[in-house]
């Protein structure tokens, strides 16, 4: 499955004049933003409840967890890899934080350290994925599929049939407390987005991730330690998924195995719709956040106009395939190998 | 001229160097699964001698049939280098549709459901080939769409099936008490095996999986073969869904979802390379038997069922690491 990439960016020379190329890149950068605005306008017309201050807060609050996940996923996607392990990592993180903080199942109370432990556990998952993918040369979609099952399995073992409810009062405060009208978790998400942006722009990880995704052979030839930075990207992503698992546990007040159900696909949809190419080398945290808002607004708007919530997964499925088809359509070639 | 000669000599030398390594790898992939299966059966029969009695063997084979049918279809897609992640969701959708349609259409519901699932496979194949989107993404999107359809038409509820329209999928035939499901599974294996043996399809699939541009230039109908593989995969998923309904007397939108990982595990454990171009029907049968016997073995050994997921995950990663053809992967994404 090595060629599980959408092909490289089209050759720069002689193909398109500079102006049309610039126009294409403008479309890639601002197209999703335009789609978001259009989506908001459509729903405002269709539903009077959509364009209200309260609903805006709803949208932002419900985007928090997905935004955190997508920041992590973006770095993996920029490499040209994929991550299907989000549900497993989140499940393990959710169960472990619920069991390590003051809870109804045992007497352990590590307080804030429990959150650190869950995030570290997520990072361990990411590290394992990265080492397996780069060391044993297994395509990432296969490694992460296996990792997801392992994570869900560990979470099921930890769950052991009795749901651990968090009794720590501090956590309850975080779940219900608000700052400036938004839940505290929304500000955590904004913090993670800022950290993601800083990592993307000011660290080697961010720059090399894009370089590796754009042209891995060139990155290798120019002396970048490709394997190391791939592993670091997976580890960073794993830590972020761990934090997302913690956030879900805080929201629910208890640790469940299903903490991350549906989030994996929503995150891939968000990143792709936002303009992060699955082939790697393009996109970034800001692109993905626009994608997260598109997905959240879509879910919110569809509920408001009375569409069955069961349809939402199917809508995401269609959108992600359509978005990839649209962005990759110009790259089609008769002899291109796509597996 | 001399330059050309040099090139030819080096390629020849490389070929010579490579041949024994490649064939050793293929030999390993052929012997290993059989050896693993024999060892597993041996270990379990030592732990519990009752395992080798006809009754329990028939039960084990009987329980493996839905997995077998799913894996046979998905194997075709993997053989040409892609992957079909939607098979389990498609089987769930099929189970819901069968449960809904059996009261009105009786036996014709089965035919209709298999056709609908083949159509779903056709859509995925066409999107994959025409829009040139990686198969794992198309089928991941498909997975979401088929689950969504199953949820909507069933109202997220389990739908019971009464009557004996589907009794043929799950009875014991007189004489040696042979489960009908085993005969059906054997028939599917025989049909696919004969098609692979008597038509050029097998060579086309392997050519595409080994080197797609070369296959295209050699005149292999690449697009049609790939789409065909997706259609058969979809139809097999639909039929597996029918078999599951016959077993549980109900259809549910998540009935078969947990089968995705066992399917992939069975295919790769049987020795089919996830990189494509190497594999077959026989290997997949062996792989399915290994997974089924393992499941029985784990419960004989008293392993908590919660650990089974962890086990499948580790098994998939290990089997892919062993069977993957790294000479084909310049860059692992």
């Amino acid at each position: 499955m090595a060629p599980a990439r959408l092909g490289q960016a089209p050759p720069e020379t002689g193909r398109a004049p500079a102006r049309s190329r610039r126009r294409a890149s403008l479309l890639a950068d601002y197209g999703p933003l335009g789609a978001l605005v259009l989506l908001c306008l459509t729903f405002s017309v269709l539903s009077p409840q959509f364009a209200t201050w309260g609903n805006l807060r709803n949208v932002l609050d419900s985007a928090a967890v997905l935004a955190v996940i997508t920041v992590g996923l973006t770095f993996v996607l920029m490499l040209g890899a994929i991550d299907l392990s989000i549900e497993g990592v989140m499940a393990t993180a959710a169960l472990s934080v619920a069991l390590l903080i003051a809870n109804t199942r045992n007497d352990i109370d590590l307080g804030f350290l429990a959150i650190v432990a869950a995030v570290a556990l997520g990072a361990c998952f990411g590290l394992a994925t990265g080492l397996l993918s780069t060391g044993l040369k297994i395509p990432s979609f296969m490694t992460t599929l296996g990792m997801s099952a392992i994570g869900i399995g560990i979470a099921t073992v930890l769950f052991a049939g009795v749901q651990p409810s968090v009794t720590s009062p501090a956590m309850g405060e975080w779940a219900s407390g608000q700052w400036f009208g938004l839940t505290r978790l929304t500000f955590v998400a904004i913090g993670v987005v800022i950290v993601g942006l800083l990592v993307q722009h000011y660290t080697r990880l961010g720059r090399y991730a894009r370089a590796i995704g754009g042209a891995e052979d060139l990155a290798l030839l120019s002396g970048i330690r490709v394997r190391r930075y791939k592993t670091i990207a997976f580890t960073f992503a794993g830590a972020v998924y761990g934090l997302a698992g913690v956030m879900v546990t805080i929201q629910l007040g208890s640790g469940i195995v299903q903490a991350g159900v549906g989030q994996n696909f929503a995150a891939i949809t968000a990143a792709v719709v936002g303009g992060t190419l699955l082939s790697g080398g393009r996109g970034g945290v800001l692109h993905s956040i626009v994608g997260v808002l598109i997905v959240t607004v879509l879910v919110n708007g569809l509920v408001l106009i009375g569409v069955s919530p069961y349809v939402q997964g199917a809508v995401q499925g269609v959108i992600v395939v359509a978005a990839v088809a649209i962005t990759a359509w110009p790259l089609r070639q008769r002899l291109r190998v796509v597996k | 001229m001399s330059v050309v000669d040099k090139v030819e000599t080096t390629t020849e030398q490389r070929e010579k160097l490579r041949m024994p390594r490649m064939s050793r790898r293929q030999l390993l992939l052929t012997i290993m699964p059989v050896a693993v299966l024999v060892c597993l059966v041996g270990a379990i029969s030592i732990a519990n001698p009752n395992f080798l009695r006809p009754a329990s063997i028939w039960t084990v084979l009987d329980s493996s049939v839905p997995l077998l049918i799913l894996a046979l279809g998905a194997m075709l897609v993997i053989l040409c280098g892609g992957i079909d992640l939607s098979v389990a969701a498609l089987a769930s959708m099929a189970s819901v549709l069968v449960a809904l349609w059996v009261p009105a259409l009786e036996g014709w519901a089965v035919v209709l459901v298999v056709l609908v699932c083949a159509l779903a496979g056709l859509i995925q194949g066409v999107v994959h080939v025409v829009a040139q989107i990686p198969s794992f993404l198309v089928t991941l999107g498909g997975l979401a769409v088929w689950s969504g359809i199953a949820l909507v038409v069933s109202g997220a509820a389990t739908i019971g099936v009464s009557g004996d329209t589907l009794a043929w999928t799950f009875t014991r035939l007189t004489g040696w008490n042979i489960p009908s499901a085993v005969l059906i599974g054997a028939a599917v294996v025989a049909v696919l095996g004969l098609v692979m043996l008597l038509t050029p399809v097998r060579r086309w699939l392997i050519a595409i999986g080994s080197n797609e541009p070369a296959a295209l230039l050699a005149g292999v109908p690449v697009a049609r073969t790939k789409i065909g593989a997706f259609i058969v995969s979809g139809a097999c998923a639909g039929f597996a869904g029918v078999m599951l309904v016959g077993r549980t007397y109900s259809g549910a939108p998540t009935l078969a979802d947990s089968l995705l990982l066992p399917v992939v595990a069975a295919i790769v454990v049987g020795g089919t390379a996830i990189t494509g171009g190497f594999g077959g029907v026989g290997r997949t049968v062996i792989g399915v038997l290994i997974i089924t016997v393992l499941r029985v073995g784990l419960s004989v050994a008293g392993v908590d069922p919660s650990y089974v997921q962890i086990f499948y995950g580790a098994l998939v990663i290990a089997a892919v690491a062993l069977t993957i053809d790294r000479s084909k992967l310049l860059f692992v994404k």
Side-chain angles (χ1 to χ4, degrees):
Chain A
M1 291 296 296
R5 45 188 299 169
L6 292 167
Q8 280 120 339
E12 295 280 322
T13 46
R15 266 275 165 103
R19 192 186 292 164
S20 88
R21 219 187 306 142
R22 209 177 304 137
R23 210 181 296 150
S25 126
L26 269 180
L27 183 73
D29 285 341
Y30 296 102
L33 208 58
L36 178 61
V37 172
L38 204 67
L39 212 56
C40 288
L41 287 178
T42 317
F43 282 128
S44 325
V45 174
L46 289 176
S47 163
Q49 289 155 289
F50 181 80
T52 56
W53 185 236
N55 193 46
L56 179 69
R57 287 201 313 234
N58 276 344
V59 169
L60 287 178
D61 286 343
S62 55
V65 173
L66 187 60
V68 170
I69 299 169
T70 313
V71 167
L73 182 69
T74 302
F75 286 92
V76 176
L77 292 183
M78 278 204 292
L79 290 170
I82 185 96
D83 202 329
L84 302 178
S85 70
I86 296 173
E87 294 183 2
V89 177
M90 282 179 72
T92 305
L95 257 300
S96 52
V97 76
L99 288 174
L100 289 177
I101 217 159
N103 67 80
T104 52
R105 275 267 301 278
N106 55 29
D107 296 330
I108 306 171
D109 182 9
L110 297 180
F112 182 71
L113 272 181
I115 296 175
V116 177
V119 172
L121 200 61
C124 287
F125 267 93
L127 183 66
T129 309
L131 288 177
L132 284 169
S133 301
T134 56
L136 289 176
K137 285 195 162 192
I138 308 173
S140 55
F141 90 98
M142 216 63 235
T143 334
T144 51
L145 196 65
M147 273 308 197
S148 185
I150 294 176
I152 289 175
I154 292 178
T156 315
V157 172
L158 290 175
F159 188 77
V162 187
Q163 183 165 315
S165 298
V166 177
T167 53
S168 156
M171 286 303 128
E173 227 169 85
W174 272 87
S176 55
Q178 292 193 336
W179 290 331
F180 311 110
L182 293 171
T183 59
R184 292 186 187 181
L185 292 182
T186 311
F187 290 94
V188 173
I190 293 172
V192 171
V193 170
I194 291 170
V195 170
L197 276 175
L198 292 177
V199 170
Q200 185 193 333
H201 287 289
Y202 297 108
T203 66
R204 290 187 189 175
L205 172 62
R207 284 159 181 266
Y208 286 173
R210 197 185 283 209
I212 293 169
E216 189 166 338
D217 39 359
L218 292 186
L220 204 59
L221 286 174
S222 48
I224 297 177
R225 291 186 183 132
V226 169
R227 284 165 65 171
R228 175 186 291 183
Y229 282 100
K230 276 185 168 179
T231 312
I232 294 176
F234 273 110
T235 312
F236 176 74
V240 171
Y241 306 149
L243 181 64
V246 173
M247 287 168 71
V248 172
T249 307
I250 292 175
Q251 278 177 348
L252 296 175
S254 55
I256 57 168
V257 180
Q258 292 83 6
V261 166
Q263 299 285 13
N264 206 143
F265 198 64
I268 294 176
T269 311
V272 168
V273 169
T276 300
L277 280 192
L278 279 183
S279 50
R282 292 221 188 133
V285 171
L286 273 186
H287 287 84
S288 297
I289 293 311
V290 174
V292 168
L293 290 177
I294 291 181
V295 168
T296 318
V297 163
L298 198 66
V299 169
N300 177 282
L302 286 179
V303 169
L304 283 183
I305 61 174
V307 176
S308 156
Y310 303 135
V311 185
Q312 278 158 14
V315 170
Q316 283 177 11
V318 172
I319 287 178
V320 72
V321 173
V324 173
I326 291 167
T327 49
W329 194 262
L331 306 180
R332 287 163 71 251
Q333 275 171 24
R334 193 158 157 68
L335 278 178
R336 197 157 69 99
V337 177
V338 178
K339 290 294 186 183
Chain B
M1 227 19 229
S2 61
V3 175
V4 173
D5 271 339
K6 261 185 195 163
V7 170
E8 274 177 3
T9 352
T10 44
T11 24
E12 217 167 76
Q13 280 171 346
R14 206 182 296 149
E15 232 18 70
K16 262 184 202 156
L17 282 174
R18 213 183 227 183
M19 276 311 284
R21 195 174 60 87
M22 280 303 290
S23 58
R24 206 188 307 148
R25 180 176 163 273
Q26 297 193 344
L27 198 68
L28 188 75
L29 287 187
T30 312
I31 293 175
M32 273 275 278
V34 180
V36 167
L37 182 60
V38 171
C39 290
L40 276 175
V41 172
I44 296 178
S45 14
I46 290 171
N48 187 350
N50 284 337
F51 182 70
L52 284 181
R53 275 170 38 200
S56 55
I57 288 182
W58 284 132
T59 310
V60 168
L61 289 178
D62 192 28
S63 70
S64 72
V65 170
L67 184 64
L68 175 71
I69 297 176
L70 277 174
L72 283 172
M75 180 272 294
L76 296 177
V77 178
I78 289 183
L79 198 53
C80 58
I83 192 158
D84 191 344
L85 295 177
S86 72
V87 281
L90 208 49
S92 300
M93 184 181 88
S95 78
V96 170
L97 294 181
V98 169
L100 283 175
W101 289 344
V102 156
L105 298 170
E106 299 287 317
W108 289 106
V110 174
V111 181
L112 196 63
V113 163
V114 171
L115 284 179
V116 166
C117 289
L119 181 72
L122 171 75
I123 295 171
Q124 293 185 146
V126 168
V127 171
H128 164 57
V129 169
V130 174
Q132 298 193 344
I133 303 176
S135 54
F136 86 88
L137 187 79
V138 176
T139 52
L140 202 62
L143 187 157
V145 173
W146 315 135
S147 309
I149 293 177
L151 277 170
V152 170
V153 296
S154 69
T158 303
I159 301 166
V161 178
S162 50
D164 53 358
T165 320
L166 294 172
W168 52 270
T169 58
F170 190 49
T171 51
R172 296 292 175 118
L173 300 178
T174 46
W176 294 304
N177 233 2
I178 304 174
S180 59
V182 173
L183 293 182
I184 295 168
V188 174
V189 169
V191 169
L192 265 181
L194 282 177
V195 168
M196 298 283 257
L197 197 68
L198 301 177
T199 66
V201 167
R202 179 166 175 274
R203 260 172 289 149
W204 288 346
L205 287 169
I206 287 179
I208 294 171
S210 304
N211 191 336
E212 196 174 322
L216 191 65
L217 294 175
V220 172
V222 171
R224 263 180 290 158
T225 312
K226 275 179 154 184
I227 294 174
F230 274 98
I231 294 175
V232 176
S233 179
C236 284
F239 193 57
V242 173
M243 299 296 287
L244 284 170
V245 174
R247 192 147 305 200
T248 56
Y249 287 100
S250 63
T254 54
L255 184 67
D257 285 5
S258 61
L259 283 178
L260 174 61
L261 216 62
V263 166
V264 177
I267 296 171
V268 291
V269 166
T272 300
I274 203 86
T275 33
F278 188 77
V281 173
R283 287 169 199 286
T284 307
V285 174
I286 301 275
V288 169
L289 289 179
I290 291 179
I291 294 293
T292 314
V293 171
L294 260 181
R295 203 173 48 203
V296 175
L298 286 178
S299 63
V300 166
V303 177
D304 187 328
S306 320
Y307 287 90
V308 171
Q309 274 284 344
I310 306 180
F311 185 75
Y312 279 142
L315 187 69
V316 164
I317 295 177
V320 169
L322 279 175
T323 58
I324 202 166
D325 185 356
R326 288 188 179 77
S327 65
K328 251 191 234 158
L329 299 175
L330 273 159
F331 300 107
V332 181
K333 286 290 179 179

